[in-house]
Amino acid sequence: MTAEAATAPAVNETTRRAQESTVLSPRFYTTDVDALERVDVGGVRADWDDLMAEMRADPNKGHFVRTAEWDADLDRIPPPLRREFLDFLVSSVTAEFSGCVLYAEIKKRIKNPELRELFRYMSRDEARHAGFINDTLKDFDVAVDLGFLTKSKQYTFFAPKFIYYATYLSEKIGYARYITIYRHLQRHPEHRFHPIFKWFEQWCNDEFRHGEAFALLMRAEPRLLTGYNRWWIRFFLCAVFATMYVRDHARPAFHDALGVDPTEYDFQVFRITSEISKQVFPFTLALDDPRFFAKLETLKGLSQAIAAAGAAGGPWNRLKRLALTGRAGLTFAGLYLLPVNPHHTPDQVRLAPAW
Ligand SMILES: [Fe+2]
Ligand SMILES: [Fe+2]
């Protein structure tokens, strides 16, 4: 045992999984706060003030409170579903907490009063979301040690514009995912195997507002949406959609229990996100192009083969993994280069969810 391992605190399996840095796992970010000081929201003043008023009013203040429904017996959830549900919760708590850590760090260091206020509200919301999911993990005796995670997880540095693209998308996708599951379970309550899904409706409005804030920050600096930045937007759209597709298809028992086909569910989320993203992005991905679906399917298959080779171990499988990873890179490049649906005039920011 190394000295480091001997002194490392004992953490549980879910904390270790949340700590992992893989292509598919949610990351923690830092950014250049000095560059954010210079942001001027004067150009989007009216929309900004409306959004800040809504966030200040804190409509979800009393929402994240558990009820008697949460005392249900969790042992009735069979093992394969239990494993995938916990995987879903760990991935969700990591993503929520990632937002909390980034927004809290910006709020702590920034002096620009407008952004300071925004990041205070967003870190408040994400702390609530992460805490609420972690309480559910606690019921299963597998809560993630969020304090340990803050100190031990690897941080990725992104310049502010990349934070905008990535975070805008993950907030809007978060909104689309929560509302799609919520609406589906409203129609099919027999598939609601855990009470947490009932909280998704108001929860998703927080994510919607967070996405609106990033939309306004981008509209305040329109050069981020034109020229060569279009290629970055395309990259983030492809990366975020492909990651979601691969990750969701790794949880068949979870989607089966929800009565959801993961392909249909993911395309519904892509469509909602694409539609919303017209408010800022000058194009959308061609979701109906059969090559788009085919490339996602190839990436899914390659990801499964990479995981299988990794689990098998040995020099031959290491080599195989390398070759498969190269193929995944090429497939992703093919996805990235597919034609897009061009030129929407960015709509006005909507302050009320349209779905
Ligand atoms: Fe959140
Ligand atoms: Fe959020």
Side-chain angles (χ1 to χ4, degrees), residues 69-90:
E69 275 180 89
W70 292 74
D71 300 332
D73 177 20
L74 296 172
D75 287 339
R76 74 198 147 69
I77 301 180
L81 174 57
R82 192 186 177 91
R83 196 173 49 243
E84 290 182 21
F85 181 47
L86 290 180
D87 183 61
F88 167 80
L89 292 174
V90 170

Side-chain angles (χ1 to χ4, degrees), residues 96 125-126 129 171 178 203 206-207 210:
E96 296 281 11
D125 295 344
E126 304 300 17
H129 302 167
E171 295 288 3
Y178 287 144
W203 187 330
D206 281 343
E207 312 304 3
H210 301 167

Side-chain angles (χ1 to χ4, degrees), residues 37-57:
E37 294 288 4
R38 296 187 287 274
V39 171
D40 176 9
V41 295
V44 289
R45 171 58 58 200
D47 289 330
W48 182 271
D49 288 347
D50 285 349
L51 182 62
M52 282 307 111
E54 207 179 312
M55 285 182 153
R56 208 172 292 131

Side-chain angles (χ1 to χ4, degrees), residues 302 306 317-330:
L302 287 168
I306 290 168
N317 280 306
R318 263 204 298 281
L319 209 66
K320 198 168 148 193
R321 232 176 140 212
L322 211 64
L324 291 166
T325 307
R327 270 185 62 199
L330 285 175

